[in-house]
Amino acid sequence: MWDVGAGAGSIGIEWMRAHPTCRATAVEGNPDRAARILRNASRLGVPGLSVVTGRAPDALTGLPAPDAIFIGGGATAPGVLDACPGRAVPRQTARRPRRDAGDRATSGPGPTTSTAAS
């Protein structure tokens, strides 16, 4: 699973905690947040979470094909969604951040967009 715009890493961490065979890659453009993801993964028992420090879509190049993609930040950046179709087998999910969220890793009750991979 790819967690794009991973913030604190909670999506990838919980994905990996769900079952020992689950694997995830957290992609985060902010180096401080990427370091926090590594700390959180270690503290929460999933030190194998892969963390890529870089901005999508460029940071997605060369990653192993995921079974799912969660876009928690950056879905509106040019090229991000285009870098994902056909990569995820069952589904892709994008979340719209709240306009007032600023630099916080939160999202509001905005709509969720799901696109079935073809």
Side-chain angles (χ1 to χ4, degrees):
M1 190 270 289
W2 292 351
D3 180 5
V4 182
S10 60
I11 300 298
I13 290 168
E14 291 304 317
W15 180 272
M16 291 182 67
R17 288 173 54 129
H19 193 273
T21 62
C22 291
R23 297 288 171 253
T25 299
V27 179
E28 177 52 56
N30 180 308
D32 293 332
R33 288 182 185 169
R36 181 176 57 213
I37 293 168
L38 287 170
R39 289 190 306 271
N40 289 344
S42 179
R43 287 180 192 147
L44 294 168
V46 290
L49 175 68
S50 174
V51 178
V52 174
T53 304
R55 298 187 64 84
D58 296 336
L60 304 177
T61 302
L63 294 181
D67 292 323
I69 301 171
F70 181 88
I71 302 175
T76 58
V80 172
L81 292 177
D82 292 336
C84 296
R87 296 255 192 158
V89 176
R91 66 187 171 276
Q92 298 172 20
T93 303
R95 190 177 59 149
R96 184 186 65 156
R98 290 185 356 203
R99 290 191 188 277
D100 65 342
D103 191 40
R104 295 176 295 177
T106 61
S107 69
T112 298
T113 304
S114 296
T115 306
S118 41

